[in-house]
Amino acid sequence: MKYDVLVVGAGFAGLVVAERLATRFNLRSLVVEKRQHLGGNAYDRYDQHGVLIHPYGPHYFRTNSKRIVDYLNQFTEWKPVAYEIKSYTEDRYWSFPINLNTFEEMLGRPSSTEEMEAWLAANRQEYDNPQNSEEVILNQVGTELYERFFKGYTLKQWKRHPKELDASVCGRIPIRTNRDNRYLEASFQALPKAGYSRLFENLFAACGNQSKALLNTDYREVMDSIDYDYLVYTGPIDAFFNHCHGPLPYRSLRFEYENFDANALKERESISGKTGFWQPTMQVNYPNEGEFTRIVEIKHATGQACTNSTIVREYPDDYEPGKEPYYPIPAPDSALRYLKYKELADHTPNTSFIGRLATYRYYNMDQVIGMALNEAEKIAAKLK
Amino acid sequence: MKYDVLVVGAGFAGLVVAERLATRFNLRSLVVEKRQHLGGNAYDRYDQHGVLIHPYGPHYFRTNSKRIVDYLNQFTEWKPVAYEIKSYTEDRYWSFPINLNTFEEMLGRPSSTEEMEAWLAANRQEYDNPQNSEEVILNQVGTELYERFFKGYTLKQWKRHPKELDASVCGRIPIRTNRDNRYLEASFQALPKAGYSRLFENLFAACGNQSKALLNTDYREVMDSIDYDYLVYTGPIDAFFNHCHGPLPYRSLRFEYENFDANALKERESISGKTGFWQPTMQVNYPNEGEFTRIVEIKHATGQACTNSTIVREYPDDYEPGKEPYYPIPAPDSALRYLKYKELADHTPNTSFIGRLATYRYYNMDQVIGMALNEAEKIAAKLK
């Protein structure tokens, strides 16, 4: 069998490249995937109670790019979602990300944007150029809010002090002085109407017979026996180079599911505020209490018309071989090590490294898709 | 790449063989599948309204074999189901398969087993040895019930007169003089608790790295470039031999889906008798009116806790290349043609033909699984 391109990994990065190569450039690819399904971590499925879940952690699609939406429109319809989250600590739910509502909850009385701005100005610790995740939050809101909402969460999630983590980690959470409760700020916020897995099936089907997928397969088992001109690698970059510069650090996750039927949910109505839900919003962060960082009830976002609901408690976990390497660790020491691998990658001919794991960076889905769209063009230019 | 066995088709037949070869005999296989997913026609999925559907027609799992249940228990839990159907004609729903309740509905008053047996004895047309589907039903119930429930349905479904079809076609429907409304008689009747697709994923995952699946792939494209000792073919047998004895006849199907939300279903409650359902039973046959043969509302069987529901109208369709060959046609002429292909198959070395399409026979799922379990043993014996 002769392929133009061997693609390692059938997540967004790999499948988008395969689709573009097939339909736009008439190039043949083989996508090799170690799991038993397409979709990488964005894969969704229904649990045994018939509730749609995101088994590799919640995936909240959002983008500011019309190009990305136009591209995905070929493979899915959308269900617009206003992603909302809260934070639970000190025995109560707080509006989150921090905004004027949170501030009023803290004061226990009505307030105003002006009062909140004055409070922040009086409480923030100014850093001209915040160097890490502690400084970036202290610079915005000061110690009290930092300790209530950020410090414990970050320690649980990363098992590192916020001081040791890049400013971008906590810096990606907005702080607002208006009443905007939305979690995310992108102009397009929606989920695939029939789920991510259907989107992936449609995307793959669009390749026609120009792309095949080999599941349940470690690429190292097969790559020597496959005839291809170009390699697209979307797995962990350190594994590709046999960890020759030492393993890159990752954080893993452990998920605990719990399903509640309609009767059990009735007793939660005073808390969730809605029939058929366990908690008030799609995601609730637990920055301080408990070993889990958050509880996700994705039904808030999927809008599934079921009377039962499934919640997922998410426990950060030390990564070790055999576990899923969910998060690259955004810190100076790991970035330095990554650069050594990047140097090797840059000198590997006829090979592209794309996606979250191959570039060791916490990208959102739309960023990965954009990267894959661009890379497909470059690859096609090289191969023509 | 070297495999012990090349398996064509990732339905029950193909995947069960792969699993047995892998876990019991440590033999390596490559499963080649032309679709974008595992599971063949038993594949299920959730539609864009979050309702679990059987997109290739309903699959009502049942068996009398403890061996089959024990085997599948490794890959799924079960939801017991009493499959119930009705027949709709002359503007009303009838109990079906025919039983004492049907008889009372016909009389419009209470009756008894004795009266029904006497009626059948007086009305049936006796055939010592029924030769076709018309004779087998006339022999049991006579013209009135034959014409009400069987003749039109069979004509729609098969586009052949019941006289031209094997006795087994209509003979598989029970006729009862008690009040047993169950559609099927097997001792074990249940659906996989998390759905068929999850069962297939688990079955495939059980192969570990002894089996790989190549999706979106016509086996003819790849078989020459793959090194294997033995072939298991589960596709249409006439296609395997390039239709050298002419094409075998098949019936195809076209499905029309309609989803109803909780409000729309409220208006159907007087008909369905239950909140959240469109019709009174999982399946309703339309033997006479309409172009569809049946409407399936699989939520009756899956028991999904959703407030909405999806029904599927099933239209029989002439088969032609590009459509799905759902049903081999159980008739003397097609059986004769099949035998010519079977002769070829019997003389094809190192190749097994299993499953509904490769043996040109309307098998139930448990029969296919049993066939695959047996065949795996034989193959392993040949290869050792």
Side-chain angles (χ1 to χ4, degrees), chain A residues 1 8 16 65 78 107 110 119 125 139 144-145 168 173 199 213 220 277 303 320 330 364 373:
Chain A
M1 291 296 292
V8 176
V16 167
S65 162
W78 298 97
L107 298 182
W119 188 94
Q125 295 179 21
N139 183 54
E144 180 174 348
L145 292 175
S168 63
I173 313 290
L199 184 163
R220 280 166 297 204
F277 289 91
E320 55 188 60
N364 294 328
L373 291 173

Side-chain angles (χ1 to χ4, degrees), chain A residues 1 3 28 30 35-38 43 45-51 77 193-194 198 201 204-205 207-209 211-218 221-222 225 304-308, chain B residues 1 3 28 30 35-38 43 45-51 77 193-194 198 201 204-205 207-209 211-218 221-222 225 304-308:
Chain A
M1 291 296 292
Y3 299 93
R28 283 168 58 84
L30 177 69
R35 289 182 181 150
Q36 290 84 42
H37 59 74
L38 305 176
Y43 166 83
R45 63 172 175 82
Y46 289 74
D47 65 16
Q48 64 176 9
H49 309 285
V51 180
E77 296 178 62
K193 201 165 174 186
R198 293 287 293 160
E201 266 187 32
F204 182 41
C207 300
N209 56 14
S211 183
K212 307 183 188 318
L214 187 61
L215 302 187
N216 212 28
T217 306
D218 186 323
E221 270 191 80
V222 297
S225 63
Q304 202 191 343
C306 46
T307 59
N308 55 353
Chain B
M1 290 297 291
Y3 299 93
R28 282 169 58 86
L30 177 68
R35 289 182 180 150
Q36 290 84 44
H37 59 75
L38 306 177
Y43 166 83
R45 64 172 175 80
Y46 290 73
D47 65 16
Q48 63 176 8
H49 309 284
V51 181
E77 295 178 62
K193 202 164 174 185
R198 292 287 293 159
E201 266 187 33
F204 183 42
C207 301
N209 56 14
S211 183
K212 307 184 189 316
L214 187 60
L215 301 187
N216 212 28
T217 305
D218 186 323
E221 268 191 80
V222 297
S225 62
Q304 201 191 345
C306 46
T307 60
N308 56 352

Side-chain angles (χ1 to χ4, degrees), chain A residues 79 102 133 195 217 227 237 262 269 283 285 309:
Chain A
K79 182 197 178 304
T102 323
S133 272
T217 306
D227 185 1
I237 192 168
E269 271 182 34
Q283 174 177 322
N285 291 352
S309 192

Side-chain angles (χ1 to χ4, degrees), chain A residues 93-105:
Chain A
Y93 290 97
W94 300 80
S95 298
F96 196 81
I98 293 170
N99 63 45
L100 179 52
N101 296 320
T102 323
F103 186 63
E104 290 183 344
E105 287 152 13

Side-chain angles (χ1 to χ4, degrees), chain A residues 47-50 308, chain B residues 44-46 50-54 58-60 78-83 190-196 274 277 282 296-306 308-310:
Chain A
D47 65 16
Q48 64 176 9
H49 309 285
N308 55 353
Chain B
D44 55 9
R45 64 172 175 80
Y46 290 73
V51 181
L52 182 59
I53 57 168
H54 290 183
H59 282 64
Y60 308 142
W78 297 96
K79 183 198 176 303
V81 188
Y83 302 114
L191 288 175
K193 202 164 174 185
Y196 286 102
K274 285 206 264 184
F277 289 90
M282 168 191 77
V296 173
E297 186 176 22
I298 200 73
K299 181 183 157 184
H300 282 279
T302 62
Q304 201 191 345
C306 46
N308 56 352
S309 191
T310 296

Side-chain angles (χ1 to χ4, degrees), chain B residues 14-25 27 29 31 71 74-75 202-204 206-207 211 373 376:
Chain B
L15 285 186
V16 168
V17 164
E19 189 278 334
R20 286 287 83 184
L21 293 177
T23 60
R24 202 173 148 86
F25 302 106
L27 290 167
S29 66
V31 181
Y71 172 69
Q74 300 175 77
F75 315 113
N202 293 340
L203 204 159
F204 183 42
C207 301
S211 183
L373 292 173

